[in-house]
Amino acid sequence: MVAIWKSSARSGALLCAVVLGSSVLGACGSESGADQASESTSAESSTTESPTETPTETPSETTPAEPATDPANGLPVCADVWVDGLDLPTDYTACSDGGTAVKPEKKMCGFGSPMIIHADRYYALRGNRVNDVGDTATSEQFQSALAACQA
């Protein structure tokens, strides 16, 4: 397996996806009919009880809100998209800053997806976490990520 990881990032990513996919799928079909019946009975009895505590999380804390859209051009507002720790939308193509469309810089990765860079400060792969590194030109984190991406 070590040889697979060293051979290419693409093979590693594929192997990771296969391993994660099979473990997730394996967990789905493990219930027996008896387990399902007992869960059904307990679910019926618990639906008549009123909850004693209210949830402390709001939906916005568990699911990031969609970025605001600039009415001038229909693009998401850059300040709402490029937030450290949030996921870059999978369909991201550009954003709007004060009514002006801002297209990202792209660096192609060895596995076929581009690394998206915004304002020489943020970077992410579509559908993945946004990283704020201050300055991509001097950030060791960014340089390391870019080298791994392009390997």
Side-chain angles (χ1 to χ4, degrees), residues 7-150:
S7 68
S8 76
R10 185 178 192 149
S11 296
L14 179 61
L15 179 61
C16 182
V18 169
V19 169
L20 289 174
S22 65
S23 65
V24 171
L25 290 175
C28 292
S30 63
E31 292 186 20
S32 69
D35 291 340
Q36 290 173 351
S38 66
E39 285 180 12
S40 168
T41 305
S42 64
E44 289 172 7
S45 64
S46 68
T47 56
T48 58
E49 299 174 13
S50 63
T52 57
E53 294 182 24
T54 58
T56 57
E57 289 186 295
T58 61
S60 64
E61 290 174 335
T62 57
T63 306
E66 289 292 315
T69 301
D70 188 331
N73 54 25
L75 293 171
V77 176
C78 295
D80 289 350
V81 173
W82 292 101
V83 177
D84 189 40
L86 293 184
D87 287 346
L88 184 65
T90 56
D91 60 350
Y92 180 79
T93 57
C95 61
S96 181
D97 188 9
T100 303
V102 179
K103 294 194 179 226
E105 180 182 352
K106 298 176 188 176
K107 302 280 186 181
M108 282 309 293
C109 295
F111 49 85
S113 294
M115 178 178 285
I116 311 295
I117 303 161
H118 174 71
D120 293 326
R121 177 178 174 169
Y122 302 94
Y123 75 93
L125 297 174
R126 287 184 183 112
N128 289 282
R129 189 174 76 104
V130 170
N131 297 278
D132 180 354
V133 293
D135 181 14
T136 56
T138 59
S139 168
E140 289 182 24
Q141 175 188 336
F142 172 75
Q143 297 301 325
S144 177
L146 181 61
C149 159
Q150 293 180 331

